[in-house]
Amino acid sequence: MTVDTETRPLPAARHARAAVAVLFFTNGALFANLLPRYPQIKEDLAIGNGAYGLAVAAFPAGAITAGLAAGLLIRRMGSARVAVLGTLLTGAGILAAGLAPSVALFATALFLAGAMDALTDVAQNAHGLRVQRLYGRSILNSFHAVWSIGAVTGGLMAAGAMALSLSLGVHLAVSAVVLVAAAVAALRFCLPGPDSEPEETGPEETGRKETGHRRLTADGARGTSRVGVVLAALVLIATAGTLVEDAGNSWAALYLSDALHASAALAASGFIALVGAQFIGRLIGDRLVDRFGQRAVARAGGLITAVGMGLALAVPTLPGTIVGFALAGFGVATLVPAAMHEADALPGLKPGSGLTIVSWLMRLGFLLSPPIVGQVADAAGLRTGLLVIPAAGVLVVLLAGVLQARPRRD
């Protein structure tokens, strides 16, 4: 008979977990302060949907450009320092984007902000995985849940600033100063030492990696080919999640305000509903995965996304669309954490390689989605362009087989 006991983490590990949570929170809140302001910026710059889609695609383009540099910087500076420095520079880029007097400067500022955000994203996940190895159990979903809290907080901050008629510059400057200060304060509680130095690993994670290594050694080239196929599927699953997130980021407020005639403050509720429901999904995600397995959770989430947003687009009403965005956010809640965790544990890859590849390539969703949706919106309407959301849900249902099935219980 086996008795499960949970070892209480050392104070340093608990402090580091709290510090990483702060980094995820500030990362989510920074960009979310800008998103509900997009309709105002679009109107001030007097640009159409197509030009707007190309401009906001500069953010993921910057992330794609800089993403692969994260590994080198982390090895030289440490993941915690890279995350905090990236937070500082992301805040500066977002402020510059909000104050840009032209489309070109707006896109340039978003490109720089996206590049810094990519460094922050990889670094904070790398440090979170360090802390997770100390805990010996999954806690990565909880960090992404905190990111969602930050995104909701940032959206509420923006809605409050608009309700109070604060200028764009004052609003973004205050939010940047507060959030960057929180990230800097968290740095002292992060794990010391280089990221190349392995932490103690829990028995569940160690057993999984050793099993995978034996399987790869036994299967030889066939196993290596299998790893490549699985990695590609994980990238597509993560990309599907980012496609849905980007729809909330770039288009929810515009769709609610333009197509459904919501007020500026109410239009922000679409984004807030998506990331709020995403937070709930991530908060309960670990328990759902432990009980049903990541494969079943992902398939159910993909179905919820496809049906929920599909119905909202088929029968467009203001309450129904807000609920549709919420269901989409809930449906994709665990996809990115699951893909990152699975990729990081793939056998036959150098430590961190799977995580870096998935983190980098999944940003193609953010890069491709805005211009595609924008062009479709100009040609056939934004409601048609937002069909990318239920399509992403269908893709997840088809590819979820690469994820872990329900864990065996002895």
Side-chain angles (χ1 to χ4, degrees):
M1 181 177 68
T2 302
V3 178
D4 294 330
T5 60
E6 182 176 335
T7 303
R8 186 173 178 82
L10 295 174
R14 297 198 302 271
H15 294 162
R17 181 177 184 177
V20 174
V22 171
L23 295 178
F24 272 82
F25 176 89
T26 56
N27 182 248
L30 267 176
F31 195 41
N33 268 275
L34 178 65
L35 295 175
R37 293 284 199 165
Y38 272 177
Q40 176 186 343
I41 294 173
K42 180 175 179 289
E43 181 179 356
D44 291 343
L45 297 178
I47 55 177
N49 287 326
Y52 168 78
L54 290 173
V56 298
F59 188 91
I64 289 289
T65 302
L68 290 181
L72 176 62
L73 290 174
I74 287 171
R75 287 191 293 271
R76 290 186 175 182
M77 299 175 56
S79 55
R81 290 180 180 177
V82 172
V84 172
L85 178 61
T87 299
L88 170 63
L89 297 177
T90 300
I94 288 172
L95 176 59
L99 299 178
S102 68
V103 178
L105 291 176
F106 174 62
T108 300
L110 283 181
F111 182 91
L112 296 175
M116 296 304 102
D117 179 75
L119 300 181
T120 302
D121 183 46
V122 176
Q124 68 189 11
N125 275 286
H127 208 77
L129 286 169
R130 283 187 67 187
V131 178
Q132 178 172 275
R133 288 191 288 271
L134 284 176
Y135 270 69
R137 56 185 170 86
S138 177
I139 60 173
L140 191 60
N141 266 319
S142 68
F143 291 136
H144 286 260
V146 172
W147 184 95
S148 296
I149 296 176
V152 171
T153 302
L156 291 173
M157 290 170 67
M162 289 186 289
L164 295 173
S165 299
L166 289 181
S167 69
L168 193 57
V170 171
H171 161 217
L172 294 179
V174 170
S175 64
V177 169
V178 171
L179 295 170
V180 168
V184 171
L187 178 60
R188 62 173 298 196
F189 298 103
C190 291
L191 295 176
D195 285 75
S196 58
E197 181 179 305
E199 281 78 32
E200 293 290 334
T201 305
E204 180 180 350
E205 189 72 11
T206 301
R208 181 182 173 193
K209 289 187 176 182
E210 288 179 352
T211 300
H213 177 72
R214 287 194 299 268
R215 187 182 298 117
L216 178 65
T217 302
D219 292 345
R222 185 177 62 181
T224 303
S225 177
R226 167 68 176 170
V227 168
V229 171
V230 171
L231 186 59
L234 292 174
V235 169
L236 289 175
I237 289 173
T239 300
T242 60
L243 281 170
V244 175
E245 288 185 28
D246 180 72
N249 292 350
S250 302
W251 300 104
L254 283 175
Y255 179 65
L256 291 172
S257 62
D258 292 350
L260 302 180
H261 311 294
S263 65
L266 185 58
S269 61
F271 167 73
I272 294 171
L274 187 145
V275 295
Q278 188 180 59
F279 159 70
I280 295 174
R282 287 172 173 174
L283 192 65
I284 65 176
D286 286 325
R287 276 178 279 181
L288 290 175
V289 170
D290 286 342
R291 181 170 183 179
F292 301 107
Q294 185 60 63
R295 183 182 303 170
V297 172
R299 280 180 174 156
L303 185 61
I304 290 171
T305 300
V307 174
M309 198 63 196
L311 289 174
L313 293 172
V315 186
T317 64
L318 186 58
T321 300
I322 293 173
V323 171
F325 277 115
L327 290 173
F330 183 82
V332 303
T334 63
L335 296 184
V336 172
M340 287 182 170
H341 182 262
E342 290 284 338
D344 192 59
L346 280 176
L349 297 178
K350 293 181 179 180
S353 296
L355 172 64
T356 300
I357 292 171
V358 169
S359 299
W360 184 61
L361 289 179
M362 77 176 184
R363 290 181 177 270
L364 286 174
F366 286 118
L367 177 63
L368 298 176
S369 176
I372 291 175
V373 173
Q375 294 298 326
V376 173
D378 280 344
L382 185 52
R383 184 160 64 127
T384 303
L386 287 177
L387 287 173
V388 67
I389 298 177
V394 172
L395 180 65
V396 171
V397 173
L398 296 176
L399 295 178
V402 301
L403 299 172
Q404 280 187 305
R406 183 175 179 176
R408 293 181 180 178
R409 302 197 180 275
D410 297 328

